[in-house]
């Protein structure tokens, strides 16, 4: 938590290093998702990764992209019930790459969505349940997307899960 707060301070000052490297994003996403399988298994959540079988070349900062992906997947695992699904999808396009984390959980209430990417905000799910957390992870995901010239968005409906799209 202290490191994340320090990273926020560095982001605000424009001092967080972005160490871009050419990499196969498909293999990277599969490995990062696989590293979270034990957590999903403990929670009895079905975690899967859908990605092209071919390489998806990308120039990104591996450390920052891993941090964003792990945050999105861990949040999804925390908010869903045992037996629910969390799916990570990598969809390469002509001009952008879409990284999607979708779950079959309760969704996020519409009244909570407007502030979901703000710092130190914690939203309740559609059932009113507030899960432990600092409220800085999704703000960090947004900042990481911005540092890469991208964006993050949320699509959710009560009782129909949530999908976070990182472009």
């Amino acid at each position: 938590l202290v490191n994340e707060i320090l990273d926020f301070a560095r982001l605000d000052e424009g001092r967080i290093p972005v160490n871009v490297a050419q990499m196969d994003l498909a293999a990277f996403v599969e490995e990062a998702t696989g590293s979270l399988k034990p957590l999903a298994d403990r929670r009895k959540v079905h975690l899967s990764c859908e990605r092209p079988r071919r390489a998806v070349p990308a120039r990104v900062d591996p450390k920052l992209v891993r941090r964003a992906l792990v945050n999105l997947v861990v949040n999804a695992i925390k908010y869903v019930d045992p037996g629910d699904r969390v799916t990570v999808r990598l969809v390469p396009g002509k001009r952008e790459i879409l990284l999607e984390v979708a779950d079959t959980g309760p969704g996020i209430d519409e009244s909570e969505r407007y502030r979901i990417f703000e710092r130190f905000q914690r939203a309740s799910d559609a059932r009113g349940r507030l899960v432990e957390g600092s409220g800085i992870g999704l703000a960090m995901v947004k900042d990481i997307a911005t540092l890469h010239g991208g964006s993050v968005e949320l699509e959710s409906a009560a009782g129909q899960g949530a999908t976070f799209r990182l472009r």
Side-chain angles (χ1 to χ4, degrees):
L1 180 58
V2 170
N3 287 338
E4 287 188 355
I5 291 171
L6 290 173
D7 282 347
F8 270 129
R10 285 191 283 273
L11 278 168
D12 284 343
E13 297 168 1
R15 293 187 307 116
I16 196 157
V18 180
N19 299 309
V20 175
Q22 184 71 30
M23 61 186 303
D24 174 6
L25 199 56
F28 178 82
V29 166
E30 184 171 41
E31 182 278 322
T33 301
S35 73
L36 297 169
K37 188 108 174 68
L39 173 64
D41 290 346
R42 279 194 304 276
R43 295 277 332 267
K44 296 180 177 31
V45 171
H46 304 285
L47 176 62
S48 63
C49 180
E50 298 173 4
R51 55 94 153 189
R53 289 293 116 200
R54 63 178 171 77
V56 177
R59 288 188 48 78
V60 298
D61 182 318
K63 181 181 171 190
L64 293 177
V65 170
R66 177 180 291 274
R67 181 182 248 173
L69 176 59
V70 165
N71 182 278
L72 292 173
V73 174
V74 168
N75 278 354
I77 291 169
K78 285 193 308 188
Y79 275 94
V80 300
D81 292 325
D84 278 339
R85 295 192 157 288
V86 174
T87 305
V88 177
R89 284 185 200 92
L90 182 68
V91 183
K94 290 183 181 184
R95 295 184 152 226
E96 68 182 10
I97 298 172
L98 175 66
L99 181 56
E100 198 172 76
V101 177
D103 68 60
T104 59
I108 299 169
D109 191 78
E110 188 174 352
S111 66
E112 300 277 0
R113 284 184 231 145
Y114 75 95
R115 64 187 182 100
I116 197 88
F117 296 106
E118 294 176 10
R119 294 179 186 183
F120 306 110
Q121 298 297 317
R122 293 174 49 210
S124 301
D125 65 20
R127 289 182 246 159
R129 179 178 58 169
L130 186 64
V131 176
E132 287 297 317
S134 62
I136 61 175
L138 290 176
M140 180 67 80
V141 169
K142 180 181 175 186
D143 288 343
I144 290 169
T146 301
L147 284 171
H148 284 84
S151 63
V152 64
E153 60 193 43
L154 164 65
E155 181 181 318
S156 183
Q160 296 181 14
T163 300
F164 286 87
R165 290 185 181 92
L166 185 59
R167 297 179 189 279

